[in-house]
Amino acid sequence: DTEAAKAIGKKLAKRKNKITPPPTAVLVDQLADDAKYRFRVYAHNARGKSVASKWSNEIRVSRPLPPAWIEVIPKDGSRSYYYNAKTFESSWQRPESDPYFLPT
């Protein structure tokens, strides 16, 4: 989160006795599953706040699929489906478990 990034930046600055910028990566957590998001970023420093970036491409947050399952998203924009690379099974419904999975 942003406060953690600022704290890390301050610790690094004290350690080096010079101004050190905070990390440039920010983890965004607690996003809803199967929701779509777009992001913008800007810089904020001693001189002020920059102009915001262009909006990112839309992304969708989703829960991890069971082992061997992948989501197939056709390039033509038609409906996506799920495919099991181990059993060659396909499904329109999102699988919640893999009955054939044996942990090793």
Side-chain angles (χ1 to χ4, degrees):
D1 69 276
T2 305
E3 293 303 315
K6 287 179 185 177
I8 292 169
K10 287 178 183 177
K11 285 180 184 177
L12 290 173
K14 287 180 183 176
R15 191 178 304 156
K16 294 182 180 181
N17 291 329
K18 62 181 180 179
I19 297 175
T20 303
T24 57
V26 175
L27 175 64
V28 180
D29 57 2
Q30 299 181 1
L31 298 175
D33 286 339
D34 298 322
K36 295 178 181 179
Y37 294 93
R38 293 175 59 191
F39 298 94
R40 292 171 64 153
V41 296
Y42 63 89
H44 193 177
N45 59 27
R47 296 193 63 169
K49 187 173 166 181
S50 72
V51 174
S53 68
K54 292 181 181 178
W55 285 101
S56 68
N57 293 337
E58 187 174 84
I59 58 131
R60 183 171 54 100
V61 177
S62 61
R63 304 178 304 285
L65 288 164
W69 284 95
I70 59 170
E71 182 177 10
V72 178
I73 303 171
K75 290 183 181 183
D76 65 4
S78 59
R79 183 177 174 190
S80 64
Y81 63 94
Y82 300 92
Y83 175 74
N84 187 312
K86 187 169 43 175
T87 64
F88 309 110
E89 178 183 2
S90 60
S91 172
W92 293 112
Q93 301 298 318
R94 188 183 199 289
E96 296 304 323
S97 64
D98 184 351
Y100 304 106
F101 177 69
L102 297 173
T104 55

